Every structure is written in C-alpha cells, then in structure tokens.
Amino acid sequence: MVDLILRGGTVYDGLGSPAVAGDVAISGGWVVEVGRELGAARRVIDVTGLAVAPGFVDAHAHSDLVPLMAQPQPFKLLQGVTTEVNGNCGFSYAPDASVLAEVTGAAVPDWMFAEYLETITAARPTNHMATLIGHSTLRAAVAGFDERLRGGDLERMCDLAAAAFAAGACGLSSGLIYPPGGYAGTDELVALAGVAHGYGVPYATHLRDEGAGLAAALDEAIEVARRARVRLQVSHCKVAGRANHGRARMLLDRLREARMSGVDVRGDQYPYVAGATVLAALLPPSALAGGRVREVLAAPAERDRLRARAEAGGTGAGLWQDVTPDDVLITAHAEPSYAGRSLADIARRLEVDAWAATCALVAADPAATMVAFLMAEEDLTEIMADPLIGIGSDNGLPTGLEHPRTWGCFPRFFGTYVREREIVSWEEAVRKATSANADQFALRGRGWLGPGAWADICVFDPGAIGHSGTYAAPSARPSGIVHVLLEGQVVVESGEFTGERRGRVLRVR
C-alpha cells in the first residue's frame, strides 16, 4: 500500500512529453508509479479535471533571507514553486556579506557559506532552496568596493568559492551591472568559473549590458563559459531600452550559435516588460567605487561627471539611457512617501530635473529599489517561445511594493502566455518551469514526474491559473494552484497553505 495516490488528473512529466490521463502513486517521499489502477493507498486525492505536474523550479530567485522571516512565507508554494535557486546576480549572503549591507539593505552576520546554509536549514524553509555563490559577494569579502584587486585577492576569492562549492553551492553567479562585480574583467570571471568547473556546477550571469551592448555582453559570457568549460545560464534574458527593442532574435541566435560551438548555454526569463532592481543601477557603477556613494553624490562636480558618463551610454553607463523618468517607479526608499511614485513625479515634487532627483534619492538611501519598464512585448514573447529559455521570477522579499513577479510569476506565465496567448503548448510550458531549470543546476530527482523522482508536485487548474497582481497592488494571491506537495507531503491543499515548513536546503555535491 502506497502513502498517497493523486487520482484522475492529466499528468505532465516535465520533459515535454505528451500529457497522459492517469494516476500518480507516492510513497516515502518519492513517485513510485504513474498509470491506472495503481492499487490501494492510505490516502487518495481526486484531481479529476486538473493538471498534475512536477513542482515548478524557479531558476532565478532572491529569497536568500526569506527563511529567517518570523512567519512561514508560502508566496512561492502558492505559485506552485517547490524549489528556488537563490544567490543570483552576483549577490549571495555569504561569505562575509556584511560589507554589502549599504547596497543590499540587509545587515547579516559574517557567515561563511557553510554557516549560511546551516542557518537557513535550522530556520526550516517553506520550500526547497538551492543557492549560488555570488561573485560580487566574493569580491567584496576580499576587496570591498575597490575597483582593482590587490596581489593575492583573486586567489583568496577562488579559495572562498571552492569552500562554498564544497559546502553545496549549486553554481557561481555574477551581476556585472552592479558594483563591485562590475569592476571585474573577463579573466577574473574565467578564474572563478574554472573553480566551478571542478565541482561540475554552472555559471549564471546577469550580463554586463542588456541594452545597447547586449551582443558584446553575451559574447563575454560565452567566452567565460568556453574557457572555463562550465554550463552557462543567462539570467533574465531580455532586450532593455526602447532604442534596442526588436533584437530578441539576435540574443537567441547568439545562444544557439554558442551551443553549436559546444557551449552548454541556456537562459531564463520572467513574463513581464518591467524589471526591478536597485535605483542606483541607473547610475554608472563607478558612482559606488570605494564604497563612498554618499560622498560622491554630494559633490556637484562628481554628479556632473557621472551624468556625462550616463548620457554617453554604452557598457558601464548604468541604465539611465534605457529608461525615461516616467518609466521608473520607486518601490522602496528610506523616505516612505516616495514609494509608489514615479521618478518624474518625485523630480517635480523636489523641483529638480530627473538626474538630480536620482542622485538625491540614491544618496539618501543607496539600497532604494525601483520597477523600471524596459522591454517590449514582442521581444518578450519571442524569447519566451524559444526552447532554450526557462522561467525564473527574479523575486524580491514578499513585503511592501515589490514587483508582482514576486507573488505571481509562474501563474502569470501559465495563465496569460500559455492559456490565453498560446505562446507555447502546455507540455512545453511545464518543461520550461521544471526540468529545463532543474537540469541546469543539477537538482537531481527534481523537475520531472515519474517513478524515481522526488514527489515535489503541483496540481493546478489550467482554466483558472493566473495572477491579477499589478504594480500598484502586487501581492494579490494567485488563482488556480490547487495542491502542492513537497516530497510527498501536502503543503498546499485546496488552495490553502497548511502552515508547515517542509522545505529543504539542497546541497549540490
């Protein structure tokens, strides 16, 4: 007798195979059989008319500190997500991430990576978590916000990376529009990715430029992967900035050409035309050099120098040229009245131009965040349709005026782009949300549904799945997620979180 049977659903294996009508038998945390007439079970859940899929795997998350929040946070389970990959964009919270507090807004202990994993294990995550080691964090640990490394710094970074991989980090990440990671040259990235190669884990990168310099930034990422012989994950694939819209085909062609040349490259994407990041990303990264951003922005000559660099555009100029002040919505700031207002509105309120307002806002709160409307719908859907691209939310903490992707990325993808717009088939959509991501990060036994897989399962209603959240009211609860299982334990039942912290910290070794 098995523990549980999900009876009468439409089963998707997560590998892109045609869906089949059948039952799923679960025992001891594993899927043991898929088919008909599977015998007796201690419990049977009728899932007639519903889709039964592997639990979704979020390829690009920023939930690193969520387990430490006082209450369980089911915001990913309620999307059908059972596993997240954290530590993206070059920022993990170990080793020694305290130096990054001013720009991340999070004061944390000086953990080594193994200590961080032990801490979140003890806190008992709500869903499973795997974590990348961040390049910016490694760099800050040895050199702070200095633009140049000293003798021995790179070797120390490689040692710290090796310790993280030995502890179970699932790969290396970089965020090359952000300081201090953006100060690195290609050879530095190759050296660290070479350490990742020794542990069989990938390199995930927020490219150095997602706008006018996108082609060169892709070429650099591919060069790093080729020279270091690692799998490459291009984070949140996009074409940013109105002047650059229409270049999705170039991005996809670059990825395909790299694969044809022997580089194992894939990417991820969130289904929105707006991104979210720190407000300081509008500025050239040199504004934060040396950790003196407040001092730099207080000097009129420095503000003028930075403005000239930003308006010149190109790699290293920041995002200033990719947006207009009306495209930028402040989502969090030390001055609460700014949240929910556009940069243009705030500039008018302060009676200054948008550049001066940006400098003032960042100087007052270097960790301030924004939503920025950067992409075109046509590029978004062209990238989405490509089989090399999986789904990753790029979420923030589930509080305040965060981007709606935090609460609704996966339901929006399935509801808006699969059911309503038919950009991809249901089978392909499930693959993009499951095995396409799990395989890249070597999350063994997850991201597929069949005998021998972990029983991480999402049962959803294809006719109801979706998310109504907006940028003004982002935290609306998703619809259509009926049941979610973690290793055979029901953690969302009939759309309601059971309250149990059943997630595990996944160590890739």
Side-chain angles (χ1 to χ4, degrees), residues 70-145:
Q71 299 298 320
Q73 300 296 321
F75 69 112
K76 285 295 178 69
L77 293 176
L78 294 173
Q79 297 181 56
V81 172
T82 54
T83 299
E84 299 176 280
V85 177
N86 292 310
N88 278 287
C89 295
F91 292 101
S92 53
Y93 284 87
D96 192 10
S98 58
V99 71
L100 296 172
E102 186 169 60
V103 293
T104 63
V108 297
D110 293 341
W111 289 311
M112 292 299 288
F113 197 83
E115 293 174 311
Y116 162 74
L117 294 183
E118 290 163 4
T119 299
I120 60 170
T121 297
R124 299 173 58 215
T126 306
N127 48 260
H128 304 319
M129 292 183 163
T131 305
L132 301 154
I133 181 69
H135 164 243
S136 280
T137 306
L138 292 169
R139 207 176 204 274
V142 302
F145 279 81

Side-chain angles (χ1 to χ4, degrees), residues 9 11 20 44 78 80 107 109 131 162 169 187 218 267 284 288 304 314 326 331 357 403 405 424 464 474 482:
V11 182
V20 298
V44 175
L78 294 173
T131 305
D187 289 346
L218 284 164
L288 282 79
D304 291 345
D326 287 309
T331 53
H403 193 297
R405 65 194 183 190
V424 294
V482 183

Side-chain angles (χ1 to χ4, degrees), residues 112-462:
M112 292 299 288
F113 197 83
E115 293 174 311
Y116 162 74
L117 294 183
E118 290 163 4
T119 299
I120 60 170
T121 297
R124 299 173 58 215
T126 306
N127 48 260
H128 304 319
M129 292 183 163
T131 305
L132 301 154
I133 181 69
H135 164 243
S136 280
T137 306
L138 292 169
R139 207 176 204 274
V142 302
F145 279 81
D146 291 348
E147 292 184 87
R148 295 183 180 276
L149 297 180
R150 301 156 299 187
D153 281 352
L154 181 56
E155 290 76 10
R156 175 62 176 151
M157 290 168 67
C158 288
D159 289 344
L160 291 170
F165 297 136
C170 66
L172 170 72
S173 78
S174 68
L176 300 178
I177 72 163
Y178 304 115
Y183 304 144
T186 304
D187 289 346
E188 178 179 321
L189 299 168
V190 170
L192 288 162
V195 181
H197 166 77
Y199 290 84
V201 294
Y203 169 54
T205 182
H206 179 150
L207 298 169
R208 201 178 291 274
D209 194 327
E210 296 174 320
L214 175 60
L218 284 164
D219 288 346
E220 179 187 38
I222 292 163
E223 178 187 348
V224 171
R226 179 179 291 113
R227 288 171 58 188
R229 296 180 295 150
V230 291
R231 299 189 302 281
L232 173 62
Q233 180 80 1
V234 179
S235 298
H236 39 60
C237 292
K238 65 170 72 75
V239 180
R242 285 185 171 85
N244 307 306
H245 290 170
R247 302 179 69 205
R249 177 47 46 193
M250 179 278 295
L251 182 154
L252 296 171
D253 286 347
R254 279 292 207 284
L255 299 186
R256 192 151 278 102
E257 289 162 7
R259 287 187 71 84
M260 292 295 290
S261 71
V263 176
D264 186 353
V265 55
R266 305 184 198 183
D268 55 70
Q269 177 200 45
Y270 46 79
Y272 301 85
V273 295
T277 186
V278 290
L279 185 64
L282 294 176
L283 308 176
S286 59
L288 282 79
R292 301 180 300 110
V293 62
R294 296 175 193 270
E295 177 184 337
V296 167
L297 294 179
E302 284 296 298
R303 292 197 301 272
D304 291 345
R305 178 187 66 81
L306 291 167
R307 182 173 195 158
R309 179 67 189 92
E311 292 178 346
T315 300
L319 299 179
W320 186 252
Q321 290 289 78
D322 291 333
V323 294
T324 70
D326 287 309
D327 293 331
V328 175
L329 178 73
I330 308 303
T331 53
H333 194 276
E335 171 47 64
S337 67
Y338 292 155
R341 304 187 64 172
S342 73
L343 180 59
D345 286 341
I346 293 171
R348 285 191 288 270
R349 174 179 170 180
L350 297 177
E351 299 182 341
V352 296
D353 67 15
W355 177 260
T358 301
C359 291
L361 266 62
V362 173
D365 183 2
T369 57
M370 65 175 177
V371 162
F373 291 84
L374 293 161
M375 287 81 81
E377 188 70 25
E378 295 76 13
D379 286 329
L380 177 79
T381 54
E382 185 170 2
I383 292 168
M384 183 181 290
D386 195 279
L388 293 179
I389 307 302
I391 304 301
S393 71
D394 201 8
N395 68 280
L397 290 177
T399 59
L401 198 65
E402 265 291 342
H403 193 297
R405 65 194 183 190
T406 294
W407 292 274
C409 171
F410 285 78
R412 174 177 166 82
F413 167 62
F414 282 97
T416 300
Y417 291 97
V418 183
R419 182 183 63 244
E420 296 175 10
R421 298 189 58 185
E422 300 181 336
I423 301 300
V424 294
S425 69
W426 286 99
E427 288 87 351
E428 173 64 0
V430 171
R431 187 192 69 82
K432 283 175 169 287
T434 58
S435 68
N437 298 331
D439 291 352
Q440 185 74 326
F441 294 98
L443 303 177
R444 296 177 182 86
R446 305 185 197 274
W448 65 287
L449 200 163
W454 286 107
D456 295 343
I457 294 175
C458 173
V459 179
F460 66 93
D461 181 347

